Amino acid sequence: METVLSGIRPTGNLHLGNYYGALVNFIKMQEENNCFFFIADWHSLTTHPDPKMLHENVRNVLSEYLAAGLDPDKATIYLQSDVKEIAELYLLLNMHAYLGELAKTVSFKEKARQNPHNVNAGLLTYPVLQAADILIHKALKVPVGKDQEQHLEMTRNYAKRFNSKYGVDFFPEPTAYNFGSELIKIPGLDGSGKMGKSEGNCIYLHDDAKTIEKKVKKALTDQGPTEPNQVKPDYIENLFTILRVVSKPEVVAYFEEKWNTCGIRYGDLKKQLAEDIIAVTTPIRERIINIRSDNECLRKVITEGAGKARESASKTIKDVREIMGFKAF
Ligand code: TYM
């Protein structure tokens, strides 16, 4: 039994990237492990969301988590801001996080470029808070998408640095985890690299069938291959990447063969792709509608989750204080 942890920022609804990057793997693990799944509401503040939307967004992702299959009887589901011990560990880890390495982080450079008027200290130290999220429960496995690989590498560095600085073997070194070994990146349908909330190219778990059909129909394509076994351009490879996660292997093989023999009809490919996405999302969408309006259930999940998460976090922070030399009078 291992400690597994994953999380998401409440900055919008859950999309296929979140589902296949983090949730599916986590859901499989909750059966047999000590699992924590949390909503990173402090992290979402780095981009200054509208205060009126914060609670709504938290409610949405919580409902969507539960609808997607997170089980509060098996996993501890909680809100980051309910566990103040994380903030304390963040402060303490910050003393060993250096400006040079933080400023080189890919996610920091990207956000700073997108938003040059809001390069705040929270953004710079985002990976330290993420390390605190993970280390506070001494998690070993962290199911996440490919975009989080660097943050996990930094978490390992902070764990190693703490252990070596204080001469202890206290924090384990967590790894980004996927059952299929390679971390996943679900691409956008617009030919861009990644499906993402800020990229505006998402298929959401709550999208209805018509919306999904429309979005898939609009995906970028071309005249089709002109030679057998041609290398696919990125925007076509993207459609196949999504097909590989939502469809049966024989369906993927069929379209690969059609591509390789220049017989592919994009209309057929898109129809199949939409159908298979809809088959995955429809039962989730139906559950979202019910759970979202069940305030009593959401309140119970988040209150019990906070209690369990704090119990685990307070043990770690007590030991950390002792290791670092804090003593009671
Ligand atoms: P966030 O909120 O951007 O995304 C949540 C999870 O979804 C994954 N993901 C994707 N995976 C594959 N393809 C995509 N297109 C795609 N888009 C998103 C992300 O990799 C992530 O697993 N920093 C984190 C939140 C966080 C966290 C943590 C995660 C804070 N503390 C501790 C794990 C452990 C983030 O911004 O994820």
Side-chain angles (χ1 to χ4, degrees):
M1 179 141 132
E2 276 174 328
T3 300
V4 177
L5 172 137
S6 198
I8 185 169
R9 281 168 305 140
T11 49
N13 296 88
L14 295 188
H15 53 74
L16 278 189
N18 301 137
Y19 185 65
Y20 285 105
L23 272 176
V24 165
N25 287 295
F26 186 90
I27 288 166
K28 281 194 223 157
M29 298 175 93
Q30 69 183 350
E31 298 298 328
E32 287 174 4
N33 294 285
N34 180 26
C35 281
F36 294 90
F37 209 111
F38 76 103
I39 300 173
D41 52 351
W42 280 331
H43 272 114
S44 74
L45 300 182
T46 54
T47 49
H48 293 181
D50 180 353
K52 290 198 274 314
M53 289 309 296
L54 187 61
H55 182 73
E56 269 317 280
N57 284 338
V58 168
R59 167 186 288 277
N60 283 341
V61 292
L62 176 60
S63 314
E64 291 173 2
Y65 274 170
L66 298 172
L70 282 196
D71 182 345
D73 291 332
K74 296 178 184 148
T76 299
I77 302 167
Y78 63 98
L79 201 53
Q80 187 182 36
S81 61
D82 278 341
V83 183
K84 312 296 183 229
E85 290 80 2
I86 298 170
E88 184 173 343
L89 185 58
Y90 167 56
L91 180 144
L92 298 172
L93 291 177
N94 263 321
M95 308 305 164
H96 301 295
Y98 298 105
L99 178 62
E101 67 193 358
L102 291 169
K104 275 197 292 195
T105 313
V106 173
S107 57
F108 172 72
K109 288 200 291 193
E110 222 173 80
K111 286 270 165 15
R113 190 171 35 79
Q114 286 164 355
N115 226 332
H117 304 298
N118 185 20
V119 186
N120 58 69
L123 197 61
L124 182 73
T125 57
Y126 186 114
V128 189
L129 181 54
Q130 182 153 347
D133 293 329
I134 298 168
L135 298 177
I136 198 77
H137 301 298
K138 297 179 154 189
L140 264 185
K141 289 201 170 125
V142 188
V144 282
K146 185 135 189 74
D147 58 325
Q148 297 299 315
E149 212 164 24
Q150 189 181 29
H151 289 162
L152 263 293
E153 192 188 328
M154 294 174 82
T155 301
R156 284 192 292 280
N157 287 342
Y158 294 130
K160 276 189 279 194
R161 204 172 285 167
F162 181 93
N163 289 346
S164 113
K165 171 88 190 157
Y166 298 104
V168 288
D169 183 16
F170 183 68
F171 284 126
E173 290 180 35
T175 46
Y177 188 79
N178 182 299
F179 269 100
S181 73
E182 271 283 295
L183 297 184
I184 283 188
K185 178 170 91 177
I186 300 294
L189 287 172
D190 53 354
S192 74
K194 180 185 142 184
M195 183 176 287
K197 284 163 252 181
S198 43
E199 283 78 2
N201 60 6
C202 297
I203 292 183
Y204 292 103
L205 296 184
H206 73 85
D207 278 345
D208 61 19
K210 273 222 164 72
T211 309
I212 293 172
E213 277 164 11
K214 246 199 233 156
K215 286 182 178 178
V216 175
K217 233 185 214 161
K218 279 206 322 218
L220 188 64
T221 48
D222 53 23
Q223 308 289 54
T226 50
E227 284 170 32
N229 303 316
Q230 202 172 308
V231 175
K232 300 182 194 85
D234 286 351
Y235 48 93
I236 300 296
E237 186 57 46
N238 285 355
L239 298 182
F240 274 85
T241 302
I242 303 179
L243 197 70
R244 277 182 215 113
V245 293
V246 295
S247 304
K248 295 200 176 86
E250 55 269 29
V251 170
V252 180
Y254 171 83
F255 283 104
E256 288 282 7
E257 149 80 8
K258 289 283 172 200
W259 170 269
N260 286 332
T261 52
C262 301
I264 195 156
R265 295 207 316 217
Y266 289 135
D268 293 348
L269 171 67
K270 288 179 172 179
K271 189 163 170 287
Q272 181 76 47
L273 184 59
E275 223 169 76
D276 291 343
I277 295 174
I278 292 164
V280 172
T281 55
T282 299
I284 301 177
R285 188 171 64 86
E286 286 167 0
R287 285 194 294 268
I288 293 173
I289 297 166
N290 289 330
I291 295 172
R292 213 184 165 284
S293 56
D294 190 346
N295 200 55
E296 191 45 41
C297 161
L298 297 179
R299 199 187 55 77
K300 185 166 178 281
V301 168
I302 219 69
T303 313
E304 286 178 4
K308 285 197 268 174
R310 288 199 74 177
E311 200 182 311
S312 155
S314 58
K315 280 190 202 133
T316 306
I317 208 72
K318 183 172 166 285
D319 291 342
V320 167
R321 283 186 204 137
E322 219 169 280
I323 291 168
M324 291 183 74
F326 292 92
K327 288 207 168 72
F329 280 96

